[in-house]
Amino acid sequence: DGGITQSPKYLFRKEGQNVTLSCEQNLNHDAMYWYRQDPGQGLRLIYYSQIVNDFQKGDIAEGYSVSREKKESFPLTVTSAQKNPTAFYLCASRLHSGNTIYFGEGSWLTVV
Amino acid sequence: DQQVKQNSPSLSVQEGRISILNCDYTNSMFDYFLWYKKYPAEGPTFLISISSIKDKNEDGRFTVFLNKSAKHLSLHIVPSQPGDSAVYFCAASAGGSNYKLTFGKGTLLTVNP
């Protein structure tokens, strides 16, 4: 099946630890995105990448890092510098020729 | 500064009636608009979109209207069904090589049987 796979679905992290969320797509999409959802805040853009080996900061990039070494993969690292990391994280992708961004199922990160 | 605004956090309608969800934007560079539907703990699902060169786009029970002069768009669902109950997000893009979507905060639609 084609789609966007995020893992893990649920993740618990101790304060001070870095954690990496995985995102893989087999849609042959060019661009990939990471959004974060908080209650009442809608979806906010963390990082995005239009092409392999290139990425740009979104609106709330502080405390996060990404890499885009392969077209199908766009992992997100939540570092200890992120002040309020508990949230629902959404990965998405898009064909360069298209205007629609498609989302994965999301990953819940809870800091304990 | 919120560039995409959904001023109604929630909306409740009766099954079979029309649901109208509204969205306003401030960035005049936005030229493509999308609506997504989202259930709790799931990723958003694309519903319908509209380009700024159009003022209406229809897909089955869903119609999106765009009023560029007012910087306003709306999603009409007719007839509403209980399965339509979800959070609806309005999103906009300015196109170009750095394509990205800016989202509103969402409207929770509840369709009562």
Side-chain angles (χ1 to χ4, degrees):
Chain A
D1 283 350
I4 303 168
T5 302
Q6 290 186 236
S7 62
K9 178 69 176 181
Y10 299 96
L11 186 60
F12 295 88
R13 187 195 91 177
K14 291 183 180 179
E15 278 195 35
Q17 286 182 339
N18 292 355
V19 63
T20 297
L21 304 179
S22 170
C23 178
E24 303 277 332
Q25 53 97 2
N26 60 4
L27 301 168
N28 200 32
H29 282 182
D30 308 283
M32 296 187 75
Y33 304 80
W34 275 105
Y35 284 86
R36 165 181 172 149
Q37 185 188 16
D38 296 280
Q41 289 293 324
L43 279 66
R44 294 183 291 168
L45 181 63
I46 305 172
Y47 266 99
Y48 61 111
S49 167
Q50 304 290 354
I51 196 170
V52 174
N53 292 324
D54 187 39
F55 48 82
Q56 291 81 37
K57 292 182 179 180
D59 301 316
I60 54 165
E62 185 175 352
Y64 298 98
S65 66
V66 293
S67 62
R68 186 86 188 276
E69 297 177 1
K70 298 186 298 182
K71 185 177 183 179
E72 55 272 18
S73 178
F74 191 40
L76 174 74
T77 297
V78 185
T79 75
S80 56
Q82 168 50 230
K83 296 280 190 283
N84 187 18
T86 295
F88 189 52
Y89 289 86
L90 288 157
C91 180
S93 68
R94 176 185 70 91
L95 264 176
H96 268 321
S97 58
N99 290 311
T100 303
I101 289 178
Y102 297 93
F103 285 85
E105 288 300 304
S107 293
W108 279 104
L109 172 63
T110 302
V111 174
V112 297
Chain B
D1 179 31
Q2 205 179 342
Q3 298 186 66
V4 178
K5 299 177 185 179
Q6 294 178 255
N7 292 319
S8 298
S10 62
L11 174 68
S12 183
V13 299
Q14 286 299 120
E15 181 178 5
R17 305 295 291 268
I18 184 171
S19 295
I20 300 176
L21 297 107
N22 293 304
C23 179
D24 298 293
Y25 61 96
T26 57
N27 188 342
S28 57
M29 298 300 290
F30 287 151
D31 60 2
Y32 200 80
F33 305 88
L34 306 90
W35 285 94
Y36 287 83
K37 176 181 179 181
K38 186 181 181 302
Y39 295 116
E42 294 184 10
T45 303
F46 168 71
L47 208 52
I48 193 170
S49 61
I50 189 166
S51 164
S52 60
I53 62 173
K54 295 186 175 181
D55 54 19
K56 177 183 173 181
N57 189 26
E58 192 172 352
D59 183 1
R61 296 185 298 115
F62 303 93
T63 303
V64 56
F65 295 92
L66 176 63
N67 182 334
K68 282 182 292 183
S69 60
K71 293 191 176 68
H72 176 84
L73 63 154
S74 60
L75 174 68
H76 292 212
I77 306 174
V78 183
S80 301
Q81 300 173 353
D84 295 330
S85 298
V87 176
Y88 289 78
F89 288 100
C90 171
S93 78
S97 59
N98 252 0
Y99 187 95
K100 57 183 178 178
L101 291 181
T102 300
F103 284 83
K105 293 188 176 183
T107 297
L108 173 63
L109 173 65
T110 302
V111 180
N112 301 302

